[in-house]
Structures are given as structure tokens and as C-alpha cells.
Amino acid sequence: MRLRVSTAVALLTLVLIPRMSLAVGGEDCATATVISALPFSDSGDTCSAVDDYNESCAFLPEGGRDVVYRYTPSTDQAITINLCPSDYDTKVYVYAGACPLIPNSGGAVACNDDACGVNGWRSLIVSVPLAGGIEYFIVIDGYGAPDCGSYSLSIDETTPFLSETCDTAETITLPWSGTVSTVGATDDYNESCPFPIIGAPDVVRRFVAPETGSLSLDLCGSDFDTKVYVYEGVCPLAGSQVGVGGSGTALTCNDDACGVSGFRSRVFLFS
């Protein structure tokens, strides 16, 4: 309420100005707050919400209280979802089309637990590819049952990074060589081979073998401490292997084999 006094006529005038209400996420997917356009920002508190959903990315706690936003892009685009300024241990994941009826469904198209903010325990998903005309549900969650609090959310359209994930990987043929930069990429995957170390920004290439044979992958001339691993058929969910353990599903993996201080990577595949 604002108070205004008009002294010229010695008349007290009370002017009631409605306060702009700040939209917060809906309780569940059926009541999700609609995002009509990007860029979008919002803030709210999850402590009065109910724990409706959970996904493991990559850790396995039961999740906390959560709220939901809904966004339907008119055309294909990529978005970045940022919870870094939030004041509690967050988690964020995205469903396409509909939300699951069971927790830990594995049906999220993108998921992140720890990427930024205090202790690195706030959530960030970079360059999530979205298809035009599809409804997407963005769930703002907590790491575990006690984790709730005030969140600060921003969502922006971004330019997809070339070969950022397995879904967008460039297809190559052999022999192949080139200079590949990870600068500006996101940490989407990780494997321990054999060191249990949190990964770093990564890029992906796809190769379909035309015949049975052997394959050599060599990063020995790189200018940073590398790691390389190979998945066959399918990759883990992007953003879900940000812990130290990784998925354990790689066909082969190497951290240190060659190059400066022996900190560059090389693998051989035989079939």
C-alpha cells in the first residue's frame, strides 16, 4: 500500500496499488506455469511445494520438493536452463510431451544436478535441443528430500554447439584427422578410466563401421589433459554422467597414454 498526502487541500488520499504478482512454477505438469516466450526469468520458493517427480542425474537420492514450467517452441531451437544463483542444492530436468507417473523413469530428455553456483551444487543445462510444436516440461527439483528453497531461473535460446552431444554428433569416415576444440562446450558425459575424476567440457563424433576391422583413436597431439571413450549403439543421457563414476557403459576408455607428461589419450579397438 502506498500513502499519498495532498497538502494543498489538507486532504488525505489513500491510493491502493495492486502489487505485481510474480509467477512461480506450477505444482505439477498439469498445472505447470506456461512460458510464452524467451528469454524468460523467474524466481520462487519450492519449500511449500510437494515432491511430485524425480530423476537421477547422475546421483540417486529421492529428490526434493519440485515445481514445473511448460514451454512449447514454435520452431526447432536449443535452450539453456540456468539455476546457478539459487540458494539451495538444486536439480533440473526436462520431459517432452508428457510427464511420467513414476519417479526415476529415465524418460527425461535432459537432466543436470551439479554444474555451477555455491559448492558447484546448482544446476545448469546448456543447449538442450527442442523440436518445434512439442510441449516440454521443465522441473525445478532439489537434490534430496530436505533440499528446498528459493530458486532463480533463467531460460535463453542458444546456438547449439557443433557435436555437443551424441544426438548432434558429426558423422565422420576414416581415415579422419582434424583439430577439435572443446572451448564453449558443456560437460555432457564422463567415464572413469581408471581415475574417478569429474569430467570436463566434451564433444562427440559418430562413426559407423562399414566392415569388420580395427580402429585407433589418437589424441596425443592435444594441448590439454584429455580423456577419450567410445560408446556402441547408444550413449548415456547427456548431462547424467557429471559425477566421478560415469555410466560404466563405454566400450573402451583411456585417460593417460601419450603426449605431454603422458596426459594425452589413445585407444585401440579390435574386432
Side-chain angles (χ1 to χ4, degrees):
M1 179 179 292
R2 295 185 179 180
L3 184 66
R4 184 176 68 193
V5 178
S6 177
T7 57
V9 294
L11 177 66
L12 178 65
T13 303
L14 296 178
V15 180
L16 183 63
I17 302 176
R19 186 177 64 179
M20 293 291 291
S21 62
L22 182 65
V24 296
E27 175 57 47
D28 55 24
C29 290
T31 60
T33 297
V34 175
I35 300 171
S36 58
L38 300 182
F40 175 83
S41 62
D42 199 6
S43 60
D45 194 292
T46 61
C47 291
S48 60
V50 177
D51 182 7
D52 295 295
Y53 307 102
N54 188 46
E55 293 294 337
S56 300
C57 50
F59 309 107
L60 300 174
E62 60 191 30
R65 299 168 185 262
D66 44 54
V67 296
V68 188
Y69 292 83
R70 183 172 79 244
Y71 176 58
T72 306
S74 58
T75 60
D76 293 355
Q77 63 181 200
I79 64 170
T80 290
I81 304 168
N82 188 331
L83 289 171
C84 299
S86 303
D87 73 356
Y88 70 104
D89 190 348
T90 62
K91 179 162 55 177
V92 63
Y93 40 93
V94 181
Y95 297 119
C99 296
L101 300 177
I102 59 172
N104 298 304
S105 68
V109 298
C111 184
N112 178 257
D113 189 343
D114 298 338
C116 57
V118 178
N119 298 323
W121 291 352
R122 308 304 183 257
S123 309
L124 174 70
I125 304 178
V126 179
S127 293
V128 184
L130 307 182
I134 302 297
E135 276 191 328
Y136 291 90
F137 297 90
I138 300 166
V139 183
I140 312 302
D141 203 345
Y143 169 73
D147 294 307
C148 68
S150 297
Y151 65 88
S152 178
L153 167 68
S154 65
I155 304 175
D156 296 279
E157 184 175 1
T158 53
T159 301
F161 189 91
L162 180 65
S163 290
E164 172 70 35
T165 66
C166 293
D167 290 338
T168 61
E170 175 189 352
T171 299
I172 61 174
T173 58
L174 301 185
W176 186 89
S177 64
T179 300
V180 178
S181 176
T182 61
V183 176
T186 306
D187 180 10
D188 294 295
Y189 308 103
N190 189 39
E191 297 296 337
S192 299
C193 47
F195 309 110
I197 302 297
I198 292 176
D202 42 51
V203 294
V204 187
R205 294 294 186 271
R206 178 189 293 110
F207 171 66
V208 180
E211 59 187 19
T212 300
S214 59
L215 175 68
S216 171
L217 302 177
D218 186 323
L219 295 175
C220 300
S222 303
D223 68 359
F224 67 102
D225 188 348
T226 62
K227 181 160 58 174
V228 63
Y229 33 92
V230 179
Y231 296 116
E232 182 178 29
V234 64
C235 299
L237 176 66
S240 65
Q241 267 64 58
V242 295
V244 298
S247 71
T249 62
L251 189 64
T252 187
C253 182
N254 177 258
D255 190 342
D256 299 337
C258 57
V260 178
S261 302
F263 291 167
R264 308 302 183 258
S265 311
R266 180 171 55 203
V267 297
F268 299 96
L269 285 172
F270 301 95
S271 59

Short mmCIF file of all heavy atoms in Angstrom, two decimals, residues 129-175:
data_model
loop_
_atom_site.label_atom_id
_atom_site.label_comp_id
_atom_site.label_asym_id
_atom_site.label_seq_id
_atom_site.Cartn_x
_atom_site.Cartn_y
_atom_site.Cartn_z
N PRO A 129 18.42 -29.39 -27.17
CA PRO A 129 17.69 -29.28 -28.45
C PRO A 129 16.20 -29.56 -28.26
O PRO A 129 15.82 -30.59 -27.68
CB PRO A 129 18.35 -30.35 -29.32
CG PRO A 129 18.91 -31.34 -28.35
CD PRO A 129 19.27 -30.59 -27.11
N LEU A 130 15.35 -28.66 -28.75
CA LEU A 130 13.91 -28.82 -28.67
C LEU A 130 13.31 -28.84 -30.07
O LEU A 130 13.80 -28.16 -30.97
CB LEU A 130 13.27 -27.67 -27.88
CG LEU A 130 13.83 -27.36 -26.48
CD1 LEU A 130 13.03 -26.22 -25.86
CD2 LEU A 130 13.80 -28.59 -25.59
N ALA A 131 12.24 -29.59 -30.25
CA ALA A 131 11.56 -29.67 -31.53
C ALA A 131 10.34 -28.76 -31.52
O ALA A 131 9.58 -28.73 -30.53
CB ALA A 131 11.14 -31.11 -31.82
N GLY A 132 10.14 -28.03 -32.59
CA GLY A 132 9.02 -27.12 -32.68
C GLY A 132 7.69 -27.84 -32.56
O GLY A 132 7.49 -28.92 -33.12
N GLY A 133 6.75 -27.24 -31.80
CA GLY A 133 5.41 -27.79 -31.65
C GLY A 133 5.26 -28.83 -30.56
O GLY A 133 4.15 -29.30 -30.30
N ILE A 134 6.35 -29.21 -29.89
CA ILE A 134 6.31 -30.20 -28.82
C ILE A 134 6.28 -29.48 -27.47
O ILE A 134 7.03 -28.53 -27.25
CB ILE A 134 7.53 -31.14 -28.88
CG1 ILE A 134 7.58 -31.85 -30.23
CG2 ILE A 134 7.50 -32.14 -27.73
CD1 ILE A 134 6.41 -32.76 -30.49
N GLU A 135 5.41 -29.95 -26.56
CA GLU A 135 5.38 -29.41 -25.21
C GLU A 135 6.56 -29.98 -24.40
O GLU A 135 6.80 -31.18 -24.41
CB GLU A 135 4.09 -29.79 -24.50
CG GLU A 135 2.91 -28.89 -24.77
CD GLU A 135 1.76 -29.18 -23.83
OE1 GLU A 135 1.60 -30.35 -23.45
OE2 GLU A 135 1.02 -28.25 -23.52
N TYR A 136 7.26 -29.09 -23.70
CA TYR A 136 8.34 -29.51 -22.82
C TYR A 136 8.04 -29.06 -21.40
O TYR A 136 7.58 -27.92 -21.19
CB TYR A 136 9.67 -28.93 -23.29
CG TYR A 136 10.15 -29.55 -24.59
CD1 TYR A 136 9.78 -28.99 -25.81
CD2 TYR A 136 10.94 -30.70 -24.59
CE1 TYR A 136 10.20 -29.56 -27.01
CE2 TYR A 136 11.36 -31.27 -25.78
CZ TYR A 136 10.99 -30.70 -26.98
OH TYR A 136 11.39 -31.27 -28.16
N PHE A 137 8.30 -29.94 -20.44
CA PHE A 137 8.06 -29.65 -19.04
C PHE A 137 9.41 -29.57 -18.32
O PHE A 137 10.20 -30.52 -18.35
CB PHE A 137 7.19 -30.72 -18.41
CG PHE A 137 5.81 -30.80 -19.01
CD1 PHE A 137 5.56 -31.63 -20.10
CD2 PHE A 137 4.79 -30.01 -18.52
CE1 PHE A 137 4.30 -31.70 -20.67
CE2 PHE A 137 3.52 -30.06 -19.09
CZ PHE A 137 3.27 -30.91 -20.16
N ILE A 138 9.68 -28.42 -17.71
CA ILE A 138 10.94 -28.16 -17.03
C ILE A 138 10.69 -28.25 -15.53
O ILE A 138 9.92 -27.45 -14.97
CB ILE A 138 11.49 -26.78 -17.41
CG1 ILE A 138 11.71 -26.71 -18.93
CG2 ILE A 138 12.78 -26.48 -16.65
CD1 ILE A 138 11.92 -25.32 -19.46
N VAL A 139 11.30 -29.24 -14.89
CA VAL A 139 11.06 -29.50 -13.47
C VAL A 139 12.23 -28.94 -12.64
O VAL A 139 13.39 -29.32 -12.85
CB VAL A 139 10.91 -31.00 -13.19
CG1 VAL A 139 10.60 -31.23 -11.71
CG2 VAL A 139 9.80 -31.59 -14.07
N ILE A 140 11.89 -28.03 -11.73
CA ILE A 140 12.88 -27.47 -10.79
C ILE A 140 12.78 -28.28 -9.51
O ILE A 140 11.78 -28.24 -8.80
CB ILE A 140 12.60 -25.98 -10.50
CG1 ILE A 140 12.37 -25.20 -11.79
CG2 ILE A 140 13.71 -25.39 -9.66
CD1 ILE A 140 13.50 -25.25 -12.76
N ASP A 141 13.83 -29.03 -9.19
CA ASP A 141 13.80 -30.00 -8.09
C ASP A 141 14.94 -29.73 -7.13
O ASP A 141 15.81 -28.88 -7.38
CB ASP A 141 13.91 -31.41 -8.68
CG ASP A 141 13.34 -32.49 -7.77
OD1 ASP A 141 13.11 -32.22 -6.58
OD2 ASP A 141 13.14 -33.62 -8.26
N GLY A 142 14.97 -30.48 -6.03
CA GLY A 142 16.08 -30.45 -5.09
C GLY A 142 16.84 -31.75 -5.14
O GLY A 142 16.33 -32.77 -5.61
N TYR A 143 18.08 -31.72 -4.65
CA TYR A 143 18.93 -32.91 -4.70
C TYR A 143 18.31 -34.07 -3.91
O TYR A 143 18.18 -35.18 -4.40
CB TYR A 143 20.31 -32.57 -4.15
CG TYR A 143 21.19 -33.77 -3.90
CD1 TYR A 143 21.76 -34.45 -4.96
CD2 TYR A 143 21.44 -34.23 -2.60
CE1 TYR A 143 22.56 -35.57 -4.74
CE2 TYR A 143 22.24 -35.33 -2.38
CZ TYR A 143 22.80 -35.99 -3.44
OH TYR A 143 23.59 -37.10 -3.23
N GLY A 144 17.93 -33.82 -2.66
CA GLY A 144 17.37 -34.85 -1.79
C GLY A 144 16.14 -34.33 -1.07
O GLY A 144 15.74 -33.18 -1.23
N ALA A 145 15.55 -35.18 -0.26
CA ALA A 145 14.29 -34.83 0.42
C ALA A 145 14.36 -33.53 1.23
O ALA A 145 13.40 -32.76 1.23
CB ALA A 145 13.86 -35.98 1.32
N PRO A 146 15.47 -33.21 1.92
CA PRO A 146 15.50 -31.96 2.69
C PRO A 146 15.75 -30.71 1.85
O PRO A 146 15.68 -29.60 2.38
CB PRO A 146 16.68 -32.17 3.66
CG PRO A 146 17.09 -33.60 3.51
CD PRO A 146 16.68 -34.01 2.16
N ASP A 147 16.06 -30.89 0.57
CA ASP A 147 16.54 -29.76 -0.23
C ASP A 147 15.40 -29.01 -0.91
O ASP A 147 14.80 -29.48 -1.88
CB ASP A 147 17.54 -30.25 -1.28
CG ASP A 147 18.81 -30.81 -0.65
OD1 ASP A 147 19.41 -30.10 0.16
OD2 ASP A 147 19.17 -31.96 -0.97
N CYS A 148 15.12 -27.82 -0.39
CA CYS A 148 14.18 -26.90 -0.99
C CYS A 148 14.66 -25.50 -0.65
O CYS A 148 15.56 -25.31 0.16
CB CYS A 148 12.76 -27.12 -0.47
SG CYS A 148 12.52 -26.71 1.28
N GLY A 149 14.08 -24.50 -1.31
CA GLY A 149 14.50 -23.13 -1.04
C GLY A 149 14.11 -22.20 -2.16
O GLY A 149 13.26 -22.51 -3.00
N SER A 150 14.77 -21.05 -2.19
CA SER A 150 14.50 -20.03 -3.20
C SER A 150 15.34 -20.29 -4.43
O SER A 150 16.55 -20.45 -4.34
CB SER A 150 14.81 -18.63 -2.64
OG SER A 150 13.98 -18.34 -1.54
N TYR A 151 14.68 -20.35 -5.57
CA TYR A 151 15.39 -20.58 -6.82
C TYR A 151 15.32 -19.34 -7.70
O TYR A 151 14.40 -18.53 -7.61
CB TYR A 151 14.83 -21.79 -7.57
CG TYR A 151 13.41 -21.64 -8.05
CD1 TYR A 151 13.11 -21.08 -9.29
CD2 TYR A 151 12.35 -22.08 -7.25
CE1 TYR A 151 11.80 -20.95 -9.72
CE2 TYR A 151 11.04 -21.95 -7.68
CZ TYR A 151 10.77 -21.38 -8.91
OH TYR A 151 9.46 -21.24 -9.33
N SER A 152 16.32 -19.20 -8.53
CA SER A 152 16.37 -18.14 -9.54
C SER A 152 16.59 -18.81 -10.88
O SER A 152 17.61 -19.46 -11.10
CB SER A 152 17.50 -17.15 -9.23
OG SER A 152 17.59 -16.16 -10.22
N LEU A 153 15.60 -18.69 -11.75
CA LEU A 153 15.59 -19.41 -13.02
C LEU A 153 15.71 -18.46 -14.20
O LEU A 153 15.03 -17.43 -14.25
CB LEU A 153 14.28 -20.20 -13.14
CG LEU A 153 13.94 -20.79 -14.51
CD1 LEU A 153 14.90 -21.92 -14.87
CD2 LEU A 153 12.49 -21.29 -14.53
N SER A 154 16.57 -18.79 -15.14
CA SER A 154 16.60 -18.08 -16.42
C SER A 154 16.70 -19.10 -17.54
O SER A 154 17.39 -20.12 -17.41
CB SER A 154 17.77 -17.09 -16.49
OG SER A 154 19.01 -17.76 -16.44
N ILE A 155 15.98 -18.83 -18.63
CA ILE A 155 15.98 -19.71 -19.80
C ILE A 155 16.20 -18.84 -21.02
O ILE A 155 15.48 -17.87 -21.24
CB ILE A 155 14.66 -20.49 -19.92
CG1 ILE A 155 14.38 -21.29 -18.65
CG2 ILE A 155 14.71 -21.42 -21.13
CD1 ILE A 155 13.05 -22.00 -18.64
N ASP A 156 17.19 -19.19 -21.82
CA ASP A 156 17.53 -18.42 -23.01
C ASP A 156 17.69 -19.36 -24.20
O ASP A 156 18.10 -20.51 -24.05
CB ASP A 156 18.84 -17.65 -22.81
CG ASP A 156 18.73 -16.62 -21.71
OD1 ASP A 156 18.21 -15.52 -21.98
OD2 ASP A 156 19.15 -16.91 -20.58
N GLU A 157 17.38 -18.83 -25.38
CA GLU A 157 17.66 -19.57 -26.59
C GLU A 157 19.16 -19.48 -26.88
O GLU A 157 19.77 -18.42 -26.74
CB GLU A 157 16.86 -19.03 -27.77
CG GLU A 157 17.05 -19.83 -29.05
CD GLU A 157 16.16 -19.37 -30.18
OE1 GLU A 157 15.40 -18.39 -29.98
OE2 GLU A 157 16.23 -19.96 -31.26
N THR A 158 19.75 -20.59 -27.27
CA THR A 158 21.18 -20.63 -27.53
C THR A 158 21.45 -21.30 -28.87
O THR A 158 20.63 -22.05 -29.39
CB THR A 158 21.93 -21.40 -26.43
OG1 THR A 158 21.33 -22.70 -26.27
CG2 THR A 158 21.88 -20.67 -25.11
N THR A 159 22.62 -21.02 -29.40
CA THR A 159 23.05 -21.66 -30.64
C THR A 159 23.67 -23.00 -30.29
O THR A 159 24.62 -23.06 -29.49
CB THR A 159 24.08 -20.80 -31.37
OG1 THR A 159 23.49 -19.53 -31.66
CG2 THR A 159 24.52 -21.47 -32.66
N PRO A 160 23.17 -24.10 -30.81
CA PRO A 160 23.73 -25.41 -30.46
C PRO A 160 25.22 -25.48 -30.81
O PRO A 160 25.63 -25.05 -31.88
CB PRO A 160 22.92 -26.39 -31.33
CG PRO A 160 21.67 -25.65 -31.67
CD PRO A 160 22.06 -24.20 -31.76
N PHE A 161 25.98 -26.04 -29.90
CA PHE A 161 27.41 -26.26 -30.12
C PHE A 161 27.56 -27.47 -31.03
O PHE A 161 26.92 -28.50 -30.84
CB PHE A 161 28.11 -26.50 -28.78
CG PHE A 161 29.61 -26.53 -28.86
CD1 PHE A 161 30.34 -25.37 -28.68
CD2 PHE A 161 30.29 -27.71 -29.12
CE1 PHE A 161 31.73 -25.39 -28.74
CE2 PHE A 161 31.67 -27.74 -29.19
CZ PHE A 161 32.39 -26.58 -29.00
N LEU A 162 28.39 -27.36 -32.07
CA LEU A 162 28.57 -28.44 -33.02
C LEU A 162 29.05 -29.71 -32.31
O LEU A 162 30.02 -29.69 -31.57
CB LEU A 162 29.59 -28.04 -34.09
CG LEU A 162 29.89 -29.09 -35.16
CD1 LEU A 162 28.66 -29.37 -35.99
CD2 LEU A 162 31.04 -28.62 -36.05
N SER A 163 28.34 -30.80 -32.54
CA SER A 163 28.68 -32.10 -31.94
C SER A 163 28.75 -32.03 -30.43
O SER A 163 29.60 -32.66 -29.79
CB SER A 163 30.02 -32.61 -32.51
OG SER A 163 29.88 -33.00 -33.86
N GLU A 164 27.83 -31.31 -29.84
CA GLU A 164 27.79 -31.17 -28.38
C GLU A 164 27.42 -32.48 -27.70
O GLU A 164 27.98 -32.84 -26.66
CB GLU A 164 26.76 -30.09 -28.00
CG GLU A 164 26.47 -29.96 -26.52
CD GLU A 164 27.62 -29.39 -25.74
OE1 GLU A 164 28.32 -28.52 -26.27
OE2 GLU A 164 27.82 -29.80 -24.59
N THR A 165 26.46 -33.21 -28.26
CA THR A 165 26.01 -34.46 -27.67
C THR A 165 25.97 -35.55 -28.74
O THR A 165 26.16 -35.29 -29.93
CB THR A 165 24.60 -34.31 -27.07
OG1 THR A 165 23.67 -34.07 -28.13
CG2 THR A 165 24.55 -33.16 -26.07
N CYS A 166 25.66 -36.76 -28.31
CA CYS A 166 25.56 -37.87 -29.27
C CYS A 166 24.45 -37.61 -30.28
O CYS A 166 24.55 -38.01 -31.45
CB CYS A 166 25.32 -39.17 -28.53
SG CYS A 166 26.74 -39.69 -27.52
N ASP A 167 23.38 -36.95 -29.86
CA ASP A 167 22.25 -36.67 -30.76
C ASP A 167 22.65 -35.72 -31.88
O ASP A 167 22.06 -35.76 -32.97
CB ASP A 167 21.08 -36.08 -29.98
CG ASP A 167 20.42 -37.09 -29.07
OD1 ASP A 167 20.58 -38.30 -29.33
OD2 ASP A 167 19.77 -36.69 -28.09
N THR A 168 23.61 -34.84 -31.63
CA THR A 168 24.01 -33.84 -32.62
C THR A 168 25.40 -34.09 -33.18
O THR A 168 25.99 -33.23 -33.82
CB THR A 168 23.96 -32.43 -32.00
OG1 THR A 168 24.88 -32.35 -30.90
CG2 THR A 168 22.55 -32.10 -31.50
N ALA A 169 25.95 -35.28 -32.93
CA ALA A 169 27.33 -35.58 -33.30
C ALA A 169 27.53 -35.57 -34.81
O ALA A 169 26.70 -36.07 -35.57
CB ALA A 169 27.75 -36.93 -32.74
N GLU A 170 28.64 -35.00 -35.23
CA GLU A 170 29.03 -35.03 -36.63
C GLU A 170 29.47 -36.45 -37.01
O GLU A 170 30.21 -37.11 -36.27
CB GLU A 170 30.19 -34.07 -36.87
CG GLU A 170 30.78 -34.10 -38.27
CD GLU A 170 32.06 -33.29 -38.39
OE1 GLU A 170 32.41 -32.58 -37.42
OE2 GLU A 170 32.72 -33.38 -39.45
N THR A 171 29.00 -36.94 -38.14
CA THR A 171 29.39 -38.26 -38.62
C THR A 171 30.67 -38.17 -39.44
O THR A 171 30.79 -37.31 -40.32
CB THR A 171 28.28 -38.90 -39.47
OG1 THR A 171 27.10 -39.04 -38.66
CG2 THR A 171 28.69 -40.27 -39.98
N ILE A 172 31.64 -39.02 -39.13
CA ILE A 172 32.92 -38.99 -39.83
C ILE A 172 33.16 -40.32 -40.55
O ILE A 172 32.54 -41.34 -40.21
CB ILE A 172 34.09 -38.72 -38.86
CG1 ILE A 172 34.18 -39.80 -37.79
CG2 ILE A 172 33.94 -37.34 -38.22
CD1 ILE A 172 35.38 -39.69 -36.88
N THR A 173 34.06 -40.30 -41.53
CA THR A 173 34.52 -41.51 -42.20
C THR A 173 36.04 -41.60 -42.03
O THR A 173 36.70 -40.58 -41.74
CB THR A 173 34.16 -41.49 -43.70
OG1 THR A 173 34.75 -40.32 -44.31
CG2 THR A 173 32.66 -41.46 -43.90
N LEU A 174 36.57 -42.77 -42.20
CA LEU A 174 38.01 -42.99 -41.98
C LEU A 174 38.75 -43.11 -43.30
O LEU A 174 38.19 -43.58 -44.30
CB LEU A 174 38.22 -44.26 -41.16
CG LEU A 174 37.56 -44.29 -39.78
CD1 LEU A 174 37.94 -45.56 -39.04
CD2 LEU A 174 37.92 -43.05 -38.97
N PRO A 175 40.02 -42.70 -43.32
CA PRO A 175 40.75 -42.07 -42.21
C PRO A 175 40.28 -40.64 -41.98
O PRO A 175 39.84 -39.96 -42.91
CB PRO A 175 42.20 -42.11 -42.70
CG PRO A 175 42.08 -42.06 -44.19
CD PRO A 175 40.85 -42.85 -44.54
#
